[in-house]
Amino acid sequence: MILAALGLAAYFLLPAWAAPPASNYDSLRLYTEALFEVSHKYVWPKEEEDLIYGSLRGMMNSLDPDSSFLTAKEYQDYLLGPPRPSAEAGVDLIVKDGLLTAASVIDGGAAARAGLKPGDHIIKINGQMVRNLTTQEATRRSQGAPNTAVKLQVIRNGEVKPLDLTITLEPLGLSTVTTGYLDNAVAYIRIRYFNNETPGELDSALNNIKQHKPPVKGIILDLRNNARGSMEEAVRSASLFLGNQQILTAKGRSTKTEQSFTGKDRDLIFKTLPPMVVLVDQGTARAAEIIAAALRDQGRATLLGVKTLGLCGLTKAFPLEDGSALMMTVAQCYSPKGDKIPGKGLEPEVPGQKPQAGTEPEKAPAQVKSPEQDPWVQQAKDVLTSGKPKPAPQTGPAS
Amino acid sequence: MARKSWLWGGVALVLGLALGWGLAGPVAVFGQNPVLPGVARSLQPSLSPSPVSDAKLKVFAQALALIEEQYAESKTTKDLVYGAIQGTLGTLDPHSAFMTPEEFRELQIETKGQFSGIGIEIALKDRVLTVVSPIEGTPAYQAGMKPGDQILKINGNPTKNTTLMEAVKMIRGPKGSKVTITINREGFQQPKDIVITREIIPIRSVKARILDDGIGYVRVTHFQDKTENDLQGYLKKMKQRLVPFKGLILDLRNDPGGLLEQAVRVSDEFLKSGLIVYTEGRNRNQNMRFFARAGQEDKVTNVPMVVIINEGSASASEIVAGALKDQKRALIVGVKSFGKGSVQTIIPLEDGSALRLTTALYFTPSGVTINEKGINPDVVVADKPLAADKSLQKLRDELLSQHMRGEGLTDKPWNQPITPEELDKDPQLKKAVELLRNWPPKNLAQQP
């Protein structure tokens, strides 16, 4: 009976399913079979809505870290527009291996100062297990009024026991971009995260660098541990370096939806861009990944570090008939040369030096040190001043 | 892999070593009658009234259609449905889970207590596929494979970047078929090919040692089809060797559990009569009581006994410890156990995948639920404290190399007496031995 119901529902809702392939039908039967077993035999009775919503959540989470299921209430919150919290923890969350994970922890933010590190898995928020929590909902819980305390329990790779951290929420602070000079010769730009102000801040930072005397020999752009930012912010920022060159292509299911993004000539700051090295790591995602890929593919920068997260796409909300909704990736980012970014990430041409023995391998320094003490920054400076600042030959992402 | 070990404490035993977080994978399994996984009958959905309203199912169908139409890449309905079932099970307790056909097959192998292969335990050591130990008497052992051998190729395929699971799959195969393993060993000029014929390999879940003053030591690593049989074998040998048989230690530390039926049988081995465990579920057919068989002469019911548990003893281990404690048959030594007092039924689905579903709770003879409470020891003895600077990975590596050198307690032959040095390394075992040497324990004998 369920079978019939589901088949029928599918039939009415989607004309393309008028004759579903046999394998689809088998899969649906498998689902109803599983649902039946759980609702009849599980030791504690469950509400049917819980089970179905669990299914929807599981199905969306199996797609990619940006896709998720929203309950009716969560969807209403979403429709109110992006939250403008007065204070937040300063962390970007994704679901990785089924666990809520910090993709990046913003420098100087409350979470960073409480000791949270990129890659940490969050298992409890304020004493509650986070099973089945959407990233949207978890993000909401990491925001609030200034001075609110949020308790997290996290599992860290290499640690035997879970760690308890208390984060005191606070505003993230004003600037997203900071600039410095190494040996008065190489400019160092750090972007903590992207927001609407970032392109403007980057614009003035680059103009200052342009006026620096003596002229800089190169620019280091630090995009490590940076997973926050929209496609639009990325395009506006990349445009400052690239002018009217292509920045990315967004492709969805059909070629009709393919969209190419190009910068504006009037945004260009340097007529001749100094050689650049872009620092990336496993916390580099979204806007930061778009810029890194564009600078690399347009022959403007060498990437240095470790492979990036590989999370970059356009999402869209689709309401369902009971008021809940699907948040779904409808298009994915491709670099100007046609490399797909989501799920693959960018493989840097110059691998970042491994930390000294005794620390975890392949982990970028999470706590941002002063650039002078940061081994990757020094490595980048060497690349820029060694006389071989040209990007290494393209090898493409490792497979 | 990390996630896998959460769900699959037991598999790691076959593949290598389980530690720490690996303990959450206990499986007490029974079906409509207390039997093997795979026997639980799966009712036909179409025969019963729908438990879920059509309206809700319509929402699911709508979502499925939207993904098929709008998601950035095309996805098979099967992948989506697997994700959905996983999500459904994710709303339940942490012991309920969905198993892909591959995971289900692995579970069946684990509970059957045998597989067809060459008989090596392997692990990734410094990212190289490495032999932990060849199991005695197996084709790998006879072919001369040694602990620490690096496996470079399997049937000519390089093992670089293969996962442990993939390697295991390549090494296993039908009985009588051949596999070529290319190994490197310290002292080799160049790698060597070894051709090995696969055979049925028993997975041992019981290991034993003795002490030279009439005390036997038995360690159960998990509960599978052959556990009771193997246990009986050792007990029989001990009865002949240890005269008088002055005491027995049953070590259930880091035993994540296994088949409920085997927990009952193992408990029965030490009890003259009486209740062992009972279960209560939502459906009446899940309510069962299990008793020890009376009048069996060959059981070990009079030898003084100590059971050692720790926070890694779960499920079936807790049934045994609980029964022997409540019946005052044994003293329990160690630290509080894990606290997993629920029974999972394995429900095969039609495409070869399966559900592991919590269908009942079990209670010790005195009516105590173990769920989230655990078994409290009569004599609390802490594990050796963890060095503060040690990461899980380091700890695992150390244990692995210890095992490779054959230095683990149960890496030696059963009839080789445990030395005082070995006892000094293990405070919980040492306490158990002391208690048995001074039996009956004075302070504890009067305990209610």
Side-chain angles (χ1 to χ4, degrees):
Chain A
M1 250 178 82
I2 316 173
L3 220 57
L6 192 53
L8 215 61
Y11 177 87
F12 285 124
L13 288 163
L14 184 64
W17 275 22
S23 65
N24 282 2
Y25 193 74
D26 286 346
S27 299
L28 284 173
R29 202 170 57 196
L30 189 72
Y31 174 70
T32 51
E33 187 188 353
L35 205 60
F36 176 87
E37 296 289 352
V38 171
S39 59
H40 272 70
K41 295 182 183 164
Y42 184 58
V43 67
W44 297 285
K46 292 285 287 184
E47 293 290 327
E48 63 177 35
E49 187 177 89
D50 286 354
L51 295 178
I52 298 273
Y53 280 8
S55 311
L56 292 170
R57 213 175 279 128
M59 189 157 64
M60 296 312 289
N61 287 345
S62 76
L63 297 176
D64 65 66
D66 273 341
S67 297
S68 57
F69 169 73
L70 306 182
T71 61
K73 160 120 193 2
E74 287 163 349
Y75 181 52
Q76 288 308 315
D77 289 347
Y78 165 81
L79 289 177
L80 291 176
R84 294 244 172 254
S86 49
E88 62 164 294
V91 55
D92 289 285
L93 300 167
I94 56 167
V95 174
K96 195 179 172 192
D97 303 331
L99 295 167
L100 192 67
T101 305
S104 70
V105 180
I106 293 173
D107 309 354
R113 286 198 282 109
L116 191 73
K117 299 229 154 74
D120 282 355
H121 298 300
I122 296 158
I123 51 173
K124 279 185 188 172
I125 301 179
N126 288 330
Q128 256 190 315
M129 293 293 288
V130 298
R131 278 179 108 219
N132 304 322
L133 208 61
T134 61
T135 51
Q136 281 86 359
E137 179 61 16
T139 302
R140 209 183 55 73
R141 288 189 197 177
S142 69
Q143 298 167 337
N147 297 321
T148 312
V150 176
K151 287 193 173 127
L152 297 186
Q153 192 172 71
V154 307
I155 310 176
R156 182 168 299 164
N157 205 0
E159 302 274 344
V160 181
K161 294 209 165 127
L163 307 167
D164 288 300
L165 305 175
T166 302
I167 297 171
T168 310
L169 303 186
E170 58 184 45
L172 269 181
L174 294 176
S175 69
T176 62
V177 180
T178 49
T179 316
Y181 296 91
L182 304 166
D183 301 341
N184 210 27
V186 171
Y188 170 81
I189 306 172
R190 165 70 185 153
I191 303 181
R192 298 196 294 156
Y193 63 100
F194 287 83
N195 66 16
N196 198 32
E197 314 298 326
T198 306
E201 292 175 27
L202 190 59
D203 187 314
S204 29
L206 286 172
N207 273 307
N208 284 336
I209 292 170
K210 196 177 164 186
Q211 277 145 31
H212 187 264
K213 294 279 174 336
V216 295
K217 292 195 184 116
I219 299 173
I220 298 168
L221 179 61
D222 189 347
L223 297 178
R224 288 176 291 177
N225 184 27
N226 180 336
R228 183 179 300 188
S230 68
M231 212 176 260
E232 190 225 332
E233 287 151 14
V235 171
R236 280 165 59 207
S237 300
S239 186
L240 301 168
F241 297 99
L242 294 172
N244 62 2
Q245 288 185 295
Q246 198 192 22
I247 293 163
L248 84 146
T249 313
K251 289 185 205 173
R253 178 70 67 85
S254 79
T255 46
K256 272 178 279 174
T257 58
E258 190 171 317
Q259 231 185 322
S260 176
F261 294 86
T262 306
K264 293 194 190 82
D265 209 14
R266 64 178 153 82
D267 286 346
L268 189 68
I269 291 179
F270 285 94
K271 274 212 186 87
T272 312
L273 187 67
M276 281 185 75
V277 172
V278 179
L279 301 183
V280 294
D281 67 6
Q282 65 274 48
T284 303
R286 301 195 175 103
E289 255 174 334
I290 292 175
I291 295 172
L295 288 172
R296 181 195 67 184
D297 276 14
Q298 299 296 2
R300 298 310 174 92
T302 304
L303 305 192
L304 187 153
V306 296
K307 199 169 92 168
T308 61
L309 187 60
L311 181 61
C312 184
L314 271 180
T315 54
K316 195 177 155 190
F318 296 90
L320 300 176
E321 56 186 53
D322 72 338
S324 61
L326 305 181
M327 183 66 82
M328 185 155 68
T329 301
V330 290
Q332 297 170 319
C333 305
Y334 287 75
S335 76
K337 285 195 174 158
D339 289 336
K340 182 180 165 189
I341 299 173
K344 299 207 160 113
L346 307 168
E347 193 74 60
E349 297 90 87
V350 182
Q353 277 166 5
K354 300 265 159 71
Q356 300 298 309
T359 51
E360 282 288 301
E362 292 212 3
K363 260 200 177 164
Q367 219 60 358
V368 173
K369 304 165 182 143
S370 79
E372 285 78 13
Q373 292 170 332
D374 188 324
W376 288 9
V377 173
Q378 291 307 313
Q379 216 184 330
K381 202 182 82 184
D382 292 345
V383 171
L384 289 170
T385 52
S386 70
K388 288 196 294 176
K390 273 265 166 205
Q394 289 299 306
T395 50
S399 52
Chain B
M1 202 63 207
R3 182 162 178 223
K4 210 154 226 162
S5 69
W6 275 43
L7 300 170
W8 286 89
V11 174
L13 286 163
V14 185
L15 304 175
L17 294 167
L19 247 184
W21 287 101
L23 59 80
V27 211
V29 177
F30 73 95
Q32 311 301 3
N33 33 23
V35 281
L36 307 176
V39 181
R41 271 179 308 122
S42 140
L43 298 171
Q44 283 304 310
S46 50
L47 297 179
S48 302
S50 162
V52 179
S53 72
D54 291 357
K56 287 292 172 204
L57 277 173
K58 255 169 100 180
V59 172
F60 180 79
Q62 190 191 5
L64 203 57
L66 272 171
I67 297 173
E68 305 231 324
E69 213 181 34
Q70 305 278 350
Y71 185 63
E73 299 180 310
S74 83
K75 288 272 171 186
T76 66
T77 314
K78 187 180 156 193
D79 284 347
L80 294 175
V81 162
Y82 273 19
I85 299 177
Q86 231 136 28
T88 313
L89 276 288
T91 65
L92 312 180
D93 67 319
H95 306 295
S96 297
F98 173 67
M99 287 178 274
T100 62
E102 192 187 16
E103 290 167 333
F104 183 34
R105 272 196 299 276
E106 195 55 44
L107 177 79
Q108 284 168 307
I109 287 169
E110 194 189 324
T111 52
K112 235 199 272 168
Q114 63 176 47
F115 62 93
S116 174
I118 63 172
I120 42 171
E121 288 180 68
I122 54 175
L124 287 172
K125 196 174 180 238
D126 305 325
R127 299 204 185 157
V128 182
L129 201 63
T130 307
V131 177
V132 176
S133 66
I135 301 164
E136 235 179 284
T138 63
Y141 188 87
Q142 278 147 13
M145 291 188 82
K146 297 220 152 43
D149 282 354
Q150 296 182 328
I151 300 178
L152 304 183
K153 288 179 190 173
I154 302 165
N155 283 333
N157 301 312
T159 56
K160 213 179 163 185
N161 298 329
T162 44
T163 65
L164 217 47
M165 244 357 217
E166 285 165 353
V168 168
K169 237 166 94 182
M170 285 194 279
I171 295 173
R172 286 185 188 162
K175 180 185 165 189
S177 62
K178 287 185 165 60
V179 60
T180 306
I181 311 270
T182 309
I183 60 161
N184 197 15
R185 183 183 300 167
E186 239 181 77
F188 275 16
Q189 299 295 334
Q190 59 184 47
K192 254 186 208 165
D193 283 353
I194 305 183
V195 181
I196 304 175
T197 306
R198 298 180 179 106
E199 269 176 32
I200 299 294
I201 312 292
I203 304 172
R204 294 190 312 158
S205 59
V206 183
K207 291 165 181 178
R209 291 286 296 273
I210 52 168
L211 281 101
D212 49 17
D213 55 354
I215 295 172
Y217 168 86
V218 180
R219 160 146 176 71
V220 177
T221 55
H222 59 293
F223 291 80
Q224 38 103 318
D225 271 359
K226 298 198 164 59
T227 301
E228 185 221 11
N229 194 39
D230 292 354
L231 174 70
Q232 271 177 344
Y234 279 121
L235 291 177
K236 211 168 159 188
K237 286 195 264 188
M238 281 180 182
K239 277 190 256 180
Q240 285 165 1
R241 166 80 190 248
L242 306 175
V243 184
F245 198 166
K246 285 209 291 219
L248 179 68
I249 296 165
L250 178 63
D251 188 351
L252 297 175
R253 287 176 295 180
N254 297 321
D255 179 339
L259 300 173
L260 171 64
E261 181 217 13
Q262 285 290 322
V264 169
R265 285 176 185 242
V266 166
S267 307
D268 174 58
E269 204 59 48
F270 305 109
L271 293 170
K272 281 198 183 86
S273 62
L275 189 60
I276 292 171
V277 65
Y278 65 92
T279 65
E280 279 179 6
R282 185 160 127 225
N283 303 328
R284 204 178 296 161
N285 65 6
Q286 297 287 356
N287 298 349
M288 285 187 286
R289 301 168 77 77
F290 297 90
F291 293 91
R293 300 165 303 155
Q296 302 284 320
E297 295 295 316
D298 52 344
K299 297 203 285 192
V300 179
T301 53
N302 289 320
V303 178
M305 203 174 158
V306 172
V307 177
I308 315 181
I309 56 171
N310 68 3
E311 64 282 349
S313 310
S315 190
S317 302
E318 294 175 297
I319 291 179
V320 175
L324 298 183
K325 185 184 178 188
D326 279 10
Q327 286 227 26
K328 305 224 180 333
R329 171 66 186 90
L331 263 188
I332 314 293
V333 168
V335 295
K336 198 174 89 167
S337 64
F338 182 80
K340 198 218 130 203
S342 58
V343 183
Q344 281 71 44
T345 303
I346 304 296
I347 302 169
L349 301 179
E350 59 181 21
D351 77 331
S353 59
L355 305 180
R356 175 208 302 244
L357 190 67
T358 299
T359 50
L361 297 178
Y362 65 74
F363 299 82
T364 69
S366 61
V368 176
T369 177
I370 286 156
N371 220 21
E372 288 166 14
K373 293 208 170 88
I375 302 283
N376 283 305
D378 300 303
V379 182
V380 177
V381 183
D383 270 315
K384 247 210 238 160
L386 269 179
D389 59 330
K390 270 186 194 158
S391 70
L392 195 59
Q393 187 58 44
K394 260 193 187 164
L395 216 66
R396 209 176 261 153
D397 287 350
E398 262 173 38
L399 258 173
L400 203 62
S401 16
Q402 202 183 48
H403 189 23
M404 281 184 188
R405 294 193 300 265
E407 286 172 5
L409 196 62
T410 49
D411 293 328
K412 303 203 173 92
W414 78 275
N415 53 8
Q416 186 178 325
I418 295 175
T419 63
E421 293 75 39
E422 283 177 313
L423 280 186
D424 281 338
K425 282 188 206 157
D426 187 340
Q428 292 171 331
L429 177 61
K430 193 175 177 181
K431 184 69 190 179
V433 171
E434 270 169 27
L435 284 164
L436 288 172
R437 282 181 178 157
N438 300 298
W439 202 266
K442 284 182 200 82
N443 303 334
L444 297 153
Q446 282 92 33
Q447 256 199 358

